[in-house]
Structures are given as C-alpha cells and as structure tokens.
Amino acid sequence: MPERRTVALVTLGCARNEVDSEELAGRLAADGWQLVEDASDADVAVVNTCGFVEAAKKDSVDALLEANDLKTAAREGGGRTQAVVAVGCMAERYGKELQEALPEADGVLGFDDYADISDRLQTILNGGIHASHTPRDRRKLLPISPAERQDASSASDVALPGHAQDTPPEDLPEGIAPASGPRAPLRQRLGNSPVASVKLASGCDRRCSFCAIPSFRGSFISRRPSDVLGETRWLAEQGVKEIMLVSENNTSYGKDLGDIRLLETLLPELAEVDGIERVRVSYLQPAEMRPGLIDVLTSTPKVAPYFDLSFQHSAAGVLRSMRRFGDTDRFLELLETIRNKAPQAGVRSNFIVGFPGESEADFGELERFLTGARLDAIGVFGYSDEEGTEAVTYDNKLDAEVIAERLEHISRLADELTAQRAEERLGETVEVLVESVDGEDGAVGRAAHQAPETDGQVLFTSGEGLAVGRMVVAKVVGTEGVDLVAEYCDLLGGDPQTIDEEAGR
C-alpha cells in the first residue's frame, strides 16, 4: 500500500482565513490526504496568507520563507517537506506577481483553485507546474444587484470559499462535514478548541477608501440560514461550545436574501442548537446597526452581548474621507444605547491614525471618543498606502514621523483605557468558557465580552474543578491589563459532579 500523502496548513490572518483553512483541510482529507500539524512532517506545506496590510503581508512572506527552509532541510536529509504552496488573500490578490517575487513558493493558488485543491497539490508534488492565476477584481464577478447574486453564484463558476457550491462525495471519512445538505462546505477541524468560527457571508459592498479587501474577496453574498445552522450543528457534534459568526460585514447579512433583518431571526435559532453554549457575532458596521439587532444581541439567552464595531475613527471629516459615516457624539450615543440594555456588554474596535488630512483637531476628537467610549479592546494602526485603494490618490499625506508619533500616543492611551475598563469589572459575576486547564495551578477562559485572540482572557486563580469546554460562573477579583483574574463559583446549568468527572477528579 503506497505511503499516504501528507499536508500541513499554516494559517495567518483573521478568523475568516481559519474557516477557509478548515474547508481546504476537509477537501484534502476527503481525497485521502493525511493532515499533520507540523509542516516539517508534511510532503506539502500550504500557507494560507493574509493580504490586508503591510505587516500582515510581511508575516505571510516570512511564513512562506520558513516553510521553504524546511524544504531545503528535507533535501539535505533533515525532514520531509517537498513543496511549499501559497493560498489565501495575498495569493489571490497578487497571483503571478507573488510567484515572481517569491520563487521559493512552488505554487500560488487563488480562490478558484480551492475546489480542485487536491489535484493542484498533487501536480505540484509530482514536479509539475500549475500556473499562478492572474488577479481580477472580484467585485465584478457577481451582479451589482444583491438580489440577483444568489442565483448567479449557484449557476456560475465563481468561487466563494465557505459556500461550497459543488456536491461533496457520498462517502466522507469520519470527522468531515457536511452533516447536512449538498450546499454545506466540506470542513475538517484543525484543532480541538471548544470555539469555532462559522462563515456567515463573504465579500463586502462598502467602498472604504483605505481598504482593498472587496477587490479580492468580492461582492457581499450571504450564506443561507439552513447552511449556517447545519454547519453549527455539525460543529456542536464535534464538541464545539461557542461559535463566532464571521464575515467582512455581518450587519449586511440577508440583504441579498430579501431580508436585512435575517440575522435577528437566525441568532435565536443558533442559540438553540444542542451543545452550543454561546453565539458571538463579529465585524459589525456602526452605520448599519439597527434597534432590532441591538435588542437581539443584548437580550437573547446564549447570544453574547458583544459588539465588534468597526469605528476606524470618530472625527467626522476623517470618516467622510474614509467613505464612512458617523462622528464622536453619534458613536457615543450608540454605545449608551447598547449599555442601557446590557450594562456588561463588551465592545471592541479598531482605529486608523494618521489618515491623509487628519488634523491635530481630528486627532484630538479621536482621543475624546476613546476616553468616553469605555471600550474593552482597542486595535490601533498607523495609516499606510494600500495599492488599489482610493486613499492612495489623496493629497495631504502626513509625514511618517507624525504617523508614528500619533500611533505611539494612541496605543499608550488605548492600553491605559482598556486596563481601566477591565478594572471596572472588578466584583462582576461573569460566565466563562474554559479553554485550557493546567492541573490545579491554573486555567484560562473567556467571558462574553472577550473574543478569541483579540480581547484578553480570564485567568482563574485555580484550575481545580474546571474542565475544558465547560461554561462556568466566576467572580472577577483582579486584573492584569485587559485580562481578568477570577475565582470559579459554579458550573453554569449543570451538576457540579459532572465537571469533577470530566476533570478526572
């Protein structure tokens, strides 16, 4: 019997990329590939790249070069890696240009290659060449009218990662989705975390002047509610306790399905899936927030009162230049509305400083907003030109030194403010999903206001009585920056004896 082909997936960037990697894993496993964690143990190392900002692109290039080092070591008898392949946003965005600039990569595959990923990798592994794709503006692949996109995508060959228009094989190996329906994507989990992301939609119709994502991710198109529910049920069967809904813009969900309020209907249904303890929604646009959505997010059992709001700035003039809407006072009013309904609600956001034309007064307005917003987590980026965006053509660019100074100042302020916000939670009782336990010495989890990777975590004073994947009640007794220190109080919605048994006590 021939030795099985092995492949490792290295994922960079956002949660959407993580979902795409698990789709690729499902497709490869269904075609007989063996998935391994360590790239040095793989015949092919597949790097799922990020193409968002310069720092992310650099990380992607570094990961490809590191994988190439494994290939070089294998040729010298020190490993197994025979080929390195780039996929993901950076590969889609640059195609042949990336291949020419980075000959260390044996292949650069775009989204259109995902349906045939197994054949593509086998060709490359056999020494063949699969021509890197020529990038195209993916906004032009689907109709301008959102209402026409669903039928058009089903009838066309437009690749939509996470939507899986092709019919999966009848006999799937154990542990591979779908558990329901031909439209559900093939997916295999690449870890055993009790948290998993579910793609709600793909693409974006907004035209923010600093962002290139729509050009390589395409126009906005929703997944059907039945597909999202089916995938969530399958994840629950795999032991997932929390799902995080991801897309480029979740507030637009349903507009191409004839109901812009579809998310308000879907969230309670997801919360009722057996085994799911928490549903979290990410990527919300402030200008598209509506009272009904706020009500559902703040009052539905098992739906986290969590608001990942993409403010980007708060000075009205800068926001207009960004092709966005709002100002400091309107944003503060939105936060007040949310907290009047759910005082413990979590709010996070990202901001760009040094945008072309940003004055000292604009910068001061951003400071005023941050000081009054009481955000739980803040990401800050210094402006840099992104090719293909409108902002590249703007006049009044700020000097790099000014941008660096403003970035450092706001970053320090953000650290201080988020630490203060964490301190405001002292004495609160929070519901925490336990994500890791290290004997009796410690355990780590996340409360409702903390999303994976970005928003801090809960550090338990002791790991005694805790087990990974359980939702527990804890009291906040201290802070470490944005992290909370908490004492375990009780198991949420279950018999404490159960948790002892699962913890092996």
Side-chain angles (χ1 to χ4, degrees):
M1 182 176 179
E3 188 175 8
R4 294 193 70 184
R5 304 165 294 179
T6 56
V7 59
L9 285 148
V10 180
T11 306
L12 294 94
C14 65
R16 299 185 295 276
N17 256 16
E18 294 172 4
V19 176
D20 289 347
S21 284
E22 293 197 347
E23 178 185 342
L24 292 174
R27 290 180 180 277
L28 290 166
D31 202 43
W33 290 75
Q34 180 181 352
L35 300 166
V36 296
E37 291 186 15
D38 192 334
S40 64
D41 296 329
D43 296 317
V44 184
V46 178
V47 179
N48 192 349
T49 61
C50 179
F52 179 40
V53 293
E54 285 304 317
K57 287 182 276 190
K58 181 181 183 302
D59 288 343
S60 295
V61 170
D62 289 345
L64 288 164
L65 293 175
E66 288 176 12
N68 184 68
D69 289 342
L70 296 176
K71 184 174 66 174
T72 301
R75 289 172 179 170
E76 298 172 354
R80 177 166 181 156
T81 309
Q82 301 175 50
V84 176
V85 175
V87 299
C89 291
M90 190 175 178
E92 174 64 37
R93 184 176 181 183
Y94 295 106
K96 292 181 179 179
E97 182 182 343
L98 178 61
Q99 180 72 84
E100 292 170 358
L102 201 67
E104 292 86 352
D106 299 287
V108 176
L109 306 181
F111 298 149
D112 294 332
D113 293 304
Y114 282 19
D116 300 307
I117 186 67
S118 179
D119 290 343
R120 300 287 187 265
L121 296 191
Q122 189 63 60
T123 296
I124 293 168
L125 190 59
N126 290 342
I129 297 174
H130 179 73
S132 301
H133 74 107
T134 300
R136 51 182 175 167
D137 189 341
R138 299 191 74 87
R139 292 172 294 190
K140 299 178 181 179
L141 302 183
L142 292 173
I144 294 176
S145 170
E148 298 175 5
R149 291 176 191 163
Q150 292 286 332
D151 290 340
S153 66
S154 298
S156 72
D157 60 354
V158 177
L160 297 170
H163 292 246
Q165 298 127 298
D166 54 323
T167 302
E170 292 183 3
D171 298 322
L172 291 173
E174 185 178 352
I176 299 179
S180 62
R183 289 181 56 87
L186 292 172
R187 179 173 181 175
Q188 178 160 318
R189 302 212 64 208
L190 292 173
N192 55 6
S193 169
V195 185
S197 295
V198 175
K199 191 171 288 190
L200 194 63
S202 295
C204 185
D205 288 340
R206 301 185 70 87
R207 294 295 179 262
C208 301
S209 62
F210 56 84
C211 182
I213 289 176
S215 67
F216 55 85
R217 276 290 184 179
S219 299
F220 184 90
I221 183 165
S222 305
R223 292 182 67 197
R224 295 186 180 278
S226 57
D227 295 343
V228 178
L229 279 163
E231 188 169 346
T232 298
R233 292 188 185 103
W234 176 81
L235 287 167
E237 292 170 359
Q238 308 303 306
V240 169
K241 299 301 179 183
E242 175 181 327
I243 63 163
M244 184 167 74
L245 300 177
V246 299
S247 76
E248 279 72 23
N249 177 11
N250 282 332
T251 32
S252 284
Y253 180 69
K255 71 176 186 178
D256 52 323
L257 295 171
D259 185 358
I260 191 60
R261 294 176 296 278
L262 196 54
L263 184 56
E264 288 94 302
T265 303
L266 178 60
L267 284 171
E269 294 183 64
L270 291 169
E272 291 175 359
V273 171
D274 287 344
I276 296 298
E277 297 292 342
R278 180 186 287 159
V279 178
R280 184 184 304 277
V281 184
S282 61
Y283 306 114
L284 300 169
Q285 286 291 340
E288 296 181 29
M289 290 301 294
R290 46 195 179 270
L293 180 56
I294 294 174
D295 287 342
V296 170
L297 287 170
T298 54
S299 64
T300 307
K302 295 189 177 183
V303 173
Y306 175 80
F307 293 81
D308 178 9
L309 293 163
S310 178
F311 289 121
Q312 301 299 343
H313 211 283
S314 72
V318 174
L319 287 167
R320 283 195 294 273
S321 294
M322 290 179 169
R323 302 296 183 195
R324 298 175 69 85
F325 307 94
D327 56 44
T328 296
D329 292 332
R330 274 190 279 183
F331 290 164
L332 290 176
E333 288 173 4
L334 172 60
L335 295 178
E336 183 178 8
T337 298
I338 291 169
R339 288 178 175 134
N340 282 340
K341 294 177 178 294
Q344 289 186 318
V347 186
R348 81 164 325 273
S349 192
N350 293 322
F351 299 89
I352 298 172
V353 297
F355 194 77
E358 181 191 63
S359 66
E360 288 284 355
D362 294 329
F363 189 64
E365 191 68 3
L366 177 57
E367 285 187 288
R368 182 169 80 89
F369 172 69
L370 290 174
T371 302
R374 297 169 54 230
L375 302 179
D376 293 279
I378 299 171
V380 187
F381 301 88
Y383 173 80
S384 62
D385 282 338
E386 275 295 308
E387 58 188 289
T389 64
E390 181 183 352
V392 169
T393 68
Y394 285 1
D395 296 325
N396 301 320
K397 299 279 179 64
L398 276 64
D399 291 339
E401 293 81 3
V402 173
I403 295 175
E405 289 174 3
R406 292 185 179 181
L407 176 61
E408 182 181 1
H409 178 80
I410 289 294
S411 296
R412 285 200 309 268
L413 178 62
D415 288 343
E416 294 172 4
L417 293 172
T418 52
Q420 289 175 13
R421 177 66 182 129
E423 290 175 359
E424 291 178 17
R425 294 187 180 275
L426 284 168
E428 284 187 359
T429 298
V430 291
E431 296 178 1
V432 182
L433 177 63
V434 181
E435 295 188 319
S436 66
V437 178
D438 183 13
E440 296 184 2
D441 296 329
V444 176
R446 287 177 303 99
H449 70 281
Q450 298 169 318
E453 307 294 337
T454 58
D455 299 345
Q457 53 195 3
V458 174
L459 311 173
F460 286 94
T461 55
S462 170
E464 184 176 3
L466 298 176
V468 173
R470 297 312 303 260
M471 190 76 75
V472 302
V473 178
K475 182 177 181 180
V476 180
V477 296
T479 64
E480 294 182 7
V482 296
D483 295 336
L484 305 181
V485 179
E487 293 178 346
Y488 164 61
C489 297
D490 199 1
L491 177 67
L492 184 68
D495 183 350
Q497 180 180 350
T498 306
I499 198 165
D500 288 342
E501 293 172 351
E502 294 191 4
R505 292 174 52 83

